[in-house]
Amino acid sequence: MEITSVQSNDPGDETQRNFRYQNAYGVILLTQAVKGAKPYTAIWCEHHEDLLAECNDGTLDAYQIKTQRPEEDLWSLKDEPLWKSIKRFVSLYKSFQDRIRNYFFVSNVDFPKPSQFRDSVKPGKYANNPTALIYNIHSISNLADLDLAFIGSYKQLAANCDCSEEELFTVLRLTHLVLGPSRQDFDAVIAHEHLGKLEVCSKLFTRALNVVRDELVMKIYQASSLYVDDPDRHTTPVFSQRHVHPE
């Protein structure tokens, strides 16, 4: 076998791409803040959440970023990455209460339409349609008014999230599903559709936009990691209560 042959089934490459996708989505939020579309003054990376955006009034928007193969079909409430993300949102709610103004679940894979599977011969398909459930919850003010079609799946979701049905209702009323860029072209989309449309970047050519994008993705990566370049880390005693640690 030639060393130059490409392995199409290397999981390491896919894992790296998924992490880059999450960091790159942080750049999208930065561009939204710069152009005033989002009232964000800070983006906290891998701090309580994948991305936690702080607003100018001190409230927070929480983001869970999840990627998977598009051929794995539309999202369902039975999908572990989705319900575990909602479980994370519930945990955040318990910690921050009303300081969280929105919860966003972002993915490269699409979501079913609100009415999709309603007439399916398999009623469970509609009952586990996350868009339909959230759409219904956004339209009511009391849990007692929940569509009967979702009662079973809602109780199961509350059990999965280790929370009361009332806590889950509060969280889902603030939860939104977002379709992000595809995994195949997100680098180009961010460079040319997001950064390229900022006034400060409007005169940059392709190569320069790519460089800016990569530098910003690296900033998000470093903010998400344990990376510390403060030289004091080599002179500060470990486990000391008398010193401020560079970390």
Side-chain angles (χ1 to χ4, degrees):
M1 179 178 179
E2 291 294 331
I3 189 66
T4 54
S5 299
V6 176
Q7 282 188 292
S8 60
N9 62 342
D10 185 351
D13 293 344
E14 189 166 315
T15 299
Q16 290 285 352
R17 180 174 59 177
N18 291 345
F19 280 124
R20 181 174 174 83
Y21 187 98
Q22 177 177 317
N23 295 331
Y25 197 80
V27 177
I28 291 179
L29 297 185
L30 289 176
T31 63
Q32 291 284 296
V34 167
K35 69 180 186 179
K38 297 282 189 182
Y40 298 158
T41 58
I43 306 292
W44 299 84
C45 309
E46 288 292 351
H47 184 67
H48 297 287
E49 198 49 274
D50 286 348
L51 297 168
L52 198 60
E54 185 173 1
C55 303
N56 50 24
D57 62 358
T59 58
L60 303 165
D61 281 351
Y63 288 83
Q64 273 279 314
I65 319 296
K66 288 291 176 284
T67 55
Q68 62 179 9
R69 294 186 180 90
E71 60 270 19
E72 291 180 3
D73 207 0
L74 303 173
W75 282 103
S76 165
L77 289 174
K78 290 184 176 181
D79 293 330
E80 187 172 310
L82 176 53
W83 66 255
K84 279 195 170 180
S85 292
I86 296 174
K87 183 177 182 178
R88 284 287 312 141
F89 292 157
V90 170
S91 179
L92 270 181
Y93 168 71
K94 291 179 179 179
S95 298
F96 291 95
Q97 296 291 314
D98 294 339
R99 193 177 175 192
I100 306 287
R101 68 170 201 162
N102 290 295
Y103 303 91
F104 294 98
F105 179 85
V106 182
S107 179
N108 65 304
V109 175
D110 209 349
F111 305 89
K113 295 178 176 60
S115 61
Q116 198 161 346
F117 310 127
R118 184 189 293 274
D119 301 320
S120 172
V121 294
K122 298 179 179 179
K125 291 275 288 183
Y126 181 66
N128 286 287
N129 178 338
T131 317
L133 174 63
I134 291 174
Y135 189 83
N136 181 220
I137 287 178
H138 285 186
S139 68
I140 60 178
S141 55
N142 296 294
L143 182 55
D145 297 325
L146 184 68
D147 189 322
L148 293 177
F150 302 116
I151 297 297
S153 57
Y154 185 86
K155 289 181 179 294
Q156 182 60 59
L157 183 58
N160 288 342
C161 294
D162 295 324
C163 68
S164 70
E165 294 180 15
E166 289 73 20
E167 288 172 326
L168 180 60
F169 185 74
T170 299
V171 168
L172 290 182
R173 280 180 60 80
L174 301 174
T175 297
H176 309 275
L177 306 175
V178 179
L179 179 62
S182 76
R183 288 196 307 178
Q184 284 67 40
D185 63 2
F186 69 90
D187 273 314
V189 167
I190 290 169
H192 305 290
E193 293 186 29
H194 291 276
L195 289 171
K197 291 183 179 178
L198 294 179
E199 184 177 355
V200 69
C201 297
S202 61
K203 295 181 180 180
L204 298 181
F205 292 109
T206 297
R207 182 175 297 180
L209 285 171
N210 290 341
V211 169
V212 173
R213 175 204 62 211
D214 290 342
E215 289 182 353
L216 290 172
V217 169
M218 180 56 68
K219 289 289 188 183
I220 299 291
Y221 163 75
Q222 291 176 341
S224 302
S225 71
L226 298 177
Y227 173 82
V228 180
D229 61 357
D230 189 334
D232 289 350
R233 71 189 187 281
H234 295 136
T235 58
T236 304
V238 297
F239 309 121
S240 172
Q241 298 181 15
R242 300 180 181 179
H243 300 82
V244 176
H245 290 263
E247 292 82 355

